[in-house]
Amino acid sequence: MTAELVRGQNHPLSEVRLEIRISAGTPVVAAATLSDENGRINGVEWVAHPGAPVQPGLEVSRQAAADHRLAVDLGAVADTVHRVSVLLALPVRAGGPVSFASLAAPFVAVTGLDGTELVSYTITDLAAESAVVALELYRRQGAWKVRAVGQGYAGGLADLLADQGLPEAQPLAATVQSAVAESLARSLPAPPPRAADGDRSRQTAGSAAAPDQNASPYGTQGAPHPYAGTQGGHTAQGPGAQVHGTHGAAAPTPQPAPEPVAGFPTGSGAGDTGTTQPGTPVASAPGGGPVDYSHPRRRATPPPPPPTAPPTEPGQPARPVAGDATGWSMEERLYNQVWGMFEDLARTTAAYRSAVDFADTRMEKELDSVLSDPRSRIGGQADAAREAARGKHSALVDQARQVLDRDLVQLVAEAEVVEPALPPAYARWDNPVWQAYRVPMEMPMAVRLGELHLPESDRLRIPMLMRLPLERGLWIDSGRSGSSDGSFLDSHELRRLALDAAVAHTARLLAVHPAGEFTVHVVDPAGSGAQALAPLVHSGVLAAPPAAGAAGVAEVLRRLTERVDLVQMAVRAGAADSLPPGFDTAQQLLVVNDFPHGFDDRAVTQLRYLADEGPAVGVHLMMVADREDASGYGPLLDPLWRGLMRLTPAPDDHLADPWVGHAWTYEPTPVPPGSQVIQQVLAQVAAARRSW
């Protein structure tokens, strides 16, 4: 069990190999000092800092960041070392904070190598201080303990080091700040406020604070990405140039009809969004240069290139950098960067489609003018006019395609940098980040549900992220869809793939929540999913074995509906803290397989109730079902299907984007063939739950 310390409190350490995790909400410098039994630092070699990040038994971050992980091996420090102090300091930079007074309270946790949190400490009551001793690990009678210190210094890092007896405190503090300034910080400063251009990260925070029932996973729930305005779009010369809010050709109508991507504003946006009809002249950018994806809502100033990379040539687009967006943490910056990539792809594709429509319309008008004159319908003059019209059409389309290809090259390069840097909640199953997976201590912002792409850019996949906590249930459609990818699969194969996808989504949701914060119930009335559900069952992460038969279905639904009723009554009465002792406050997920088998009318009514009322009180629904199987209920279940986010086990272009009219193709995130990544992750989750 984690010991939550207050200032001055100490706690024994049961391990000597530790990890110290720091979350500050803004970029800070993390360092550590070694000191003797009198608390004095014997020299600069006893300080681990970004300029010298590795010392015996210590390793710290090489740059300023909002989140840090420091490695400590107390068994490797010298016998003369009796104290290890963990320091935080604000980097000296223009426009940056000068004290901790206006910042969120830094949080520090000491964990074992397996991720188990041993102690934690929130540093409060900081005012004019710009440097602080967060924790100290000290040796007492041959054993190590940790003490919450929270001692701040208004004079900054130099005063802190001088107070610990280091003669070279002033030059070392200058060296640390210089090393930070020269490094490529993971945390980037937020852009200055603009009257007509909102900040993405703040829009995200706003949507999270006031969730909308039709929001998206890039707002608060639903399908792919929302837009809080579309100004700041990229423009280039010529008919293929990108424009602000350009609408392309009408989106194709898939079967079933495209589901609106919830969260996209369907009316006028917050910016200067407009609709460009075919034939409308397209705005051109001054100079007609290549698109620079460092657009103003994603960073304030271009970050310095990595130390080993040559500087960017003048006139060339900025090199992509992971985390190149605003946000309070690296996770939020990556989330906003993925959102920005989605915007950029939507915008450049809309511009291309608009340019093609313009070229088609222009060619039709020119051909009509030729055919309208009987004297020029036949003969060499008519043929020459037709060839000229087709030549102009090809030139316009080729020019638009060149602009699109140029933008895609930049976006693909950005995706190649961002994808490996994603945390487990956002990463593909084949990402190496899963090999170092540890059960998290905090709730993530969002979770990956799959990938999105457009026909014009098939090689570019954008992660589809849904905001957490879930505010809309998931429906894994096991029926046939209108896509060609699913038409070659028989019904049994589709059902198997749908349940495999549901298990993968469930495993990811369990993996990204802290231990004890997410509980899963499974209903499998006929037992048809026993093989696919085996990873969940054998790992022991389920609240109970999958419920079978009509009686099992009724019992699970009864417990969850009673839970929803109880929490609703407590909230309405203002007594949310008066729930019964032992009440499980974790988020609840109900996975339903093979619906409507085993469901009577009462069970169907309870299921609809959970889908409508459950998300507001932490009860969520994931259904694996074919809508045709439930056709006997007629329109009774239509609100249920509409209220769930539809996902497919095979690629399908059922997600519509009303902002620019695109139909996005969704693909589930595949598990590598033969991989045991899900089983390994679930084993760690189960172990963490047992210790919790």
Side-chain angles (χ1 to χ4, degrees), residues 114 434 437-439 679-689:
D114 60 353
W434 289 106
Y437 167 77
R438 295 291 182 269
V439 177
Q679 289 82 348
Q680 294 168 3
V681 168
L682 290 177
Q684 292 199 43
V685 172
R689 288 167 63 93

Side-chain angles (χ1 to χ4, degrees), residues 192 241 277 330 371 502 524 588 618 666 676 692:
Q277 301 296 341
M330 188 63 170
L371 297 176
D524 186 22
Q588 309 285 314
Y666 165 83
Q676 296 295 310
W692 178 83

Side-chain angles (χ1 to χ4, degrees), residues 22-28 65-68 90 93 97 102-105 186-191 199-206 323 325-336 442 445:
I22 299 167
S23 180
T26 194
V28 297
D67 300 290
H68 292 272
L90 292 174
R93 55 193 175 94
S102 60
L103 305 178
R186 291 171 60 201
S187 297
L188 299 177
D199 175 31
R200 285 186 189 167
S201 62
R202 301 286 72 76
Q203 293 158 0
T204 300
T326 57
W328 289 103
S329 65
M330 188 63 170
E331 179 187 29
E332 184 178 358
R333 290 193 296 274
L334 287 169
Y335 173 87
N336 289 333
E442 299 179 358
M445 284 186 59

Side-chain angles (χ1 to χ4, degrees), residues 48-360:
H49 56 85
V54 180
Q55 300 294 348
L58 290 177
E59 183 172 0
V60 302
S61 304
R62 290 165 169 78
Q63 66 247 345
D67 300 290
H68 292 272
R69 293 192 177 191
L70 282 59
V72 178
D73 185 356
L74 298 174
V77 300
D79 293 339
T80 54
V81 173
H82 288 259
R83 185 181 302 172
V84 179
S85 301
V86 178
L87 322 176
L88 303 180
L90 292 174
V92 178
R93 55 193 175 94
V98 296
S99 72
F100 285 100
S102 60
L103 305 178
F107 174 81
V108 185
V110 180
T111 72
L113 292 184
D114 60 353
T116 303
E117 187 174 304
L118 306 177
V119 300
S120 65
Y121 172 43
T122 302
I123 310 172
T124 57
D125 300 327
L126 295 176
E129 298 89 344
S130 59
V132 61
V133 179
L135 296 173
E136 64 178 17
L137 314 176
Y138 63 98
R139 199 196 307 258
R140 181 65 52 85
Q141 296 178 348
W144 286 92
K145 294 185 177 183
V146 58
R147 178 186 289 119
V149 180
Q151 175 65 50
Y153 294 82
L157 191 58
D159 282 9
L160 187 157
L161 295 173
D163 191 47
Q164 295 193 7
L166 181 65
E168 304 89 345
Q170 191 69 39
L172 180 58
T175 300
V176 172
Q177 295 292 355
S178 176
V180 170
E182 293 175 1
S183 67
L184 179 62
R186 291 171 60 201
S187 297
L188 299 177
R194 301 179 59 190
D197 195 3
D199 175 31
R200 285 186 189 167
S201 62
R202 301 286 72 76
Q203 293 158 0
T204 300
S207 63
D212 180 0
Q213 289 302 316
N214 292 322
S216 100
Y218 285 81
T220 55
Q221 67 174 14
H225 300 260
Y227 295 94
T230 55
Q231 63 266 53
H234 312 299
T235 60
Q237 252 181 337
Q242 299 180 0
V243 295
H244 300 293
T246 305
H247 283 257
T253 305
Q255 295 294 329
E259 173 184 346
V261 174
F264 286 89
T266 55
S268 59
D272 54 352
T273 308
T275 301
T276 302
Q277 301 296 341
T280 303
V282 181
S284 60
V291 174
D292 181 2
Y293 282 94
S294 57
H295 83 54
R297 284 182 292 168
R298 296 176 64 185
R299 60 185 175 191
T301 56
T308 58
T312 304
E313 294 294 333
Q316 294 297 318
R319 288 184 176 86
V321 178
D324 190 8
T326 57
W328 289 103
S329 65
M330 188 63 170
E331 179 187 29
E332 184 178 358
R333 290 193 296 274
L334 287 169
Y335 173 87
N336 289 333
Q337 186 170 15
V338 171
W339 172 14
M341 292 165 59
F342 183 91
E343 282 189 348
D344 293 335
L345 179 58
R347 185 179 295 112
T348 190
T349 304
Y352 170 74
R353 293 180 179 179
S354 177
V356 172
D357 286 346
F358 172 78
D360 291 342

Side-chain angles (χ1 to χ4, degrees), residues 55 140 156 266 359 469 477 508 594 608 617 636-637 675 678:
Q55 300 294 348
R140 181 65 52 85
T266 55
D477 191 355
R508 186 184 290 268
D594 208 14
R608 284 191 55 187
V617 293
L636 176 67
L637 292 181
S675 172
I678 289 182

Side-chain angles (χ1 to χ4, degrees), residues 177-522:
Q177 295 292 355
S178 176
V180 170
E182 293 175 1
S183 67
L184 179 62
R186 291 171 60 201
S187 297
L188 299 177
R194 301 179 59 190
D197 195 3
D199 175 31
R200 285 186 189 167
S201 62
R202 301 286 72 76
Q203 293 158 0
T204 300
S207 63
D212 180 0
Q213 289 302 316
N214 292 322
S216 100
Y218 285 81
T220 55
Q221 67 174 14
H225 300 260
Y227 295 94
T230 55
Q231 63 266 53
H234 312 299
T235 60
Q237 252 181 337
Q242 299 180 0
V243 295
H244 300 293
T246 305
H247 283 257
T253 305
Q255 295 294 329
E259 173 184 346
V261 174
F264 286 89
T266 55
S268 59
D272 54 352
T273 308
T275 301
T276 302
Q277 301 296 341
T280 303
V282 181
S284 60
V291 174
D292 181 2
Y293 282 94
S294 57
H295 83 54
R297 284 182 292 168
R298 296 176 64 185
R299 60 185 175 191
T301 56
T308 58
T312 304
E313 294 294 333
Q316 294 297 318
R319 288 184 176 86
V321 178
D324 190 8
T326 57
W328 289 103
S329 65
M330 188 63 170
E331 179 187 29
E332 184 178 358
R333 290 193 296 274
L334 287 169
Y335 173 87
N336 289 333
Q337 186 170 15
V338 171
W339 172 14
M341 292 165 59
F342 183 91
E343 282 189 348
D344 293 335
L345 179 58
R347 185 179 295 112
T348 190
T349 304
Y352 170 74
R353 293 180 179 179
S354 177
V356 172
D357 286 346
F358 172 78
D360 291 342
T361 303
R362 177 174 173 174
M363 184 177 69
E364 290 176 3
K365 289 181 177 179
E366 291 180 351
L367 292 177
D368 287 344
S369 65
V370 172
L371 297 176
S372 63
D373 186 355
R375 295 171 297 178
S376 59
R377 289 179 186 172
I378 57 175
Q381 183 179 0
D383 293 340
R386 293 188 186 96
E387 288 300 323
R390 295 189 182 103
K392 293 177 183 177
H393 175 272
S394 298
L396 290 173
V397 172
D398 291 345
Q399 183 179 359
R401 187 70 211 191
Q402 290 175 5
V403 174
L404 175 65
D405 290 342
R406 181 197 63 203
D407 295 348
L408 290 180
V409 167
Q410 182 73 6
L411 282 171
V412 169
E414 186 173 8
E416 291 174 348
V417 171
V418 170
E419 189 70 51
L422 295 177
Y426 304 170
R428 292 170 54 93
W429 286 112
D430 56 3
N431 192 312
V433 72
W434 289 106
Q435 304 304 318
Y437 167 77
R438 295 291 182 269
V439 177
M441 297 185 296
E442 299 179 358
M443 277 271 294
M445 284 186 59
V447 65
R448 184 174 187 148
L449 294 181
E451 301 169 353
L452 301 168
H453 65 91
L454 292 170
E456 291 86 352
S457 53
D458 188 65
R459 70 184 188 276
L460 178 60
R461 298 294 197 271
I462 306 294
M464 175 180 167
L465 308 180
M466 174 178 271
R467 289 299 299 268
L468 292 177
L470 297 171
E471 294 181 5
R472 189 180 182 188
L474 302 178
W475 165 30
I476 316 298
D477 191 355
S478 59
R480 292 189 178 276
S481 64
S483 69
S484 59
D485 300 78
S487 61
F488 298 104
L489 302 173
D490 59 34
S491 59
H492 296 290
E493 182 68 9
L494 281 172
R495 292 176 189 273
R496 182 189 67 79
L497 291 175
L499 189 53
D500 287 344
V503 169
H505 291 316
T506 303
R508 186 184 290 268
L509 287 167
L510 282 164
V512 303
H513 282 81
E517 295 294 330
F518 198 78
T519 302
V520 177
H521 311 267
V522 175

